[in-house]
Structure formats: structure tokens, C-alpha cells
Amino acid sequence: MVKAHGRLKFQTASFPSNVTHVWYAAYVAARAGLSQLLLQLPEVPGPAERCSMLRPVCHLLARRMQAVQPGEIAPLSGVSQIDSADLLRADVEESSGFQDVLVSLLLGRGFAFGKLPEGTVEDWLWYRLHLVHLLGQDDDQSPDFKNH
């Protein structure tokens, strides 16, 4: 599904063939709640190998999906070793609009959706929903959750 969508969006039969394609696939997988695909994406040979921060970002996103969809995936090992400094490094080292939105979400900060190619209201709503859950520490009874 993600591959077919990417081929249509980028009008190429060789999707994913570059770093932007890989980050787009991660974004689409996160938007669709495809935790298992997020875990598998860094293992795909090719352009994913040039994305040094793809593995930690995808693993944290898979954990994020697990927090809002309990029971979907088993607990992830090695992910807790990733901290905000790693995410800030990802924000500086590599850059694409799709990577930027994912890293911004994981850092718990806002993102200007005008920077995202063809960003939609649905994209913004998805982002805000996950940001509210993140700020509320995934507890719908948290005062932070009730204030947003």
C-alpha cells in the first residue's frame, strides 16, 4: 500500500529510490498506524541505508503507535537508549519535510504544516492528536490532555 502510494505521489516506478522517498514511506506508515512497517522499513536495503537516523526515529514512532493502539506490537528493545539529543541530531543531520514532521512530533514541538508538501487538514489533525497524547503522557485523564 505504501509503495503504491509513493509511486503515484512521486510518479516513479522505482519507489523508494532516494532518501526523501524513504522518509515519506515512514511518514505514511506512521499516519496509517502501521507499526510493523515502521520496524521493518530501516531493514530494507537501498536508500534507507543512507538515513542514519531512520532506525531510531522509526522505532520511536512504532512505540508511539503502541501507546495509542495498545497490544498491537510487542515491547521494543533498544529504543529507550534514544534520547532527545539523538532526535535533535536527526533534526540537523538529515532534512526532508517528512523527516522534519516526524522528528518534531517525537520532540513534542509544533510543526508548520505549510512546510509539508501537500500537507492536509487530516495531516495536521493526526499530528495534533499525537502531540496531545504525547504531552499528556498518553494518559487521557492527565490535566495536560484535558487542556489541549
Side-chain angles (χ1 to χ4, degrees):
M1 174 184 88
V2 173
K3 194 170 189 176
H5 191 66
R7 286 178 175 169
L8 286 173
K9 176 171 178 41
F10 292 100
Q11 299 178 349
T12 181
S14 59
F15 180 88
S17 61
N18 63 46
V19 172
T20 300
H21 291 176
V22 172
W23 284 110
Y24 176 75
Y27 176 74
V28 171
R31 279 276 283 114
L34 301 173
S35 303
Q36 292 300 323
L37 180 57
L38 285 167
L39 295 174
Q40 295 167 0
L41 192 58
E43 309 305 324
V44 176
E49 295 167 345
R50 295 190 305 259
C51 303
S52 63
M53 294 305 296
L54 184 66
R55 180 181 312 281
V57 168
C58 284
H59 280 216
L60 286 172
L61 285 167
R63 178 175 278 172
R64 173 108 299 282
M65 297 301 108
Q66 183 181 34
V68 296
Q69 300 170 359
E72 184 179 321
I73 59 175
L76 304 172
S77 61
V79 176
S80 61
Q81 300 168 347
I82 302 163
D83 61 15
S84 60
D86 292 325
L87 289 174
L88 288 171
R89 193 170 23 263
D91 199 23
V92 173
E93 287 180 0
E94 303 166 3
S95 188
S96 82
F98 303 109
Q99 181 213 357
D100 293 344
V101 70
L102 296 174
V103 171
S104 292
L105 175 63
L106 292 171
L107 288 170
R109 64 182 186 201
F111 180 79
F113 271 82
K115 295 179 182 179
L116 190 65
E118 301 175 18
T120 65
V121 172
E122 290 85 0
D123 293 320
W124 182 84
L125 288 169
W126 170 84
Y127 184 88
R128 293 298 300 168
L129 175 64
H130 281 279
L131 191 59
V132 167
H133 274 279
L134 183 70
L135 295 174
Q137 299 174 345
D138 298 315
D139 176 9
D140 63 0
Q141 301 304 311
S142 167
D144 288 329
F145 188 79
K146 291 179 181 180
N147 290 334
H148 288 84

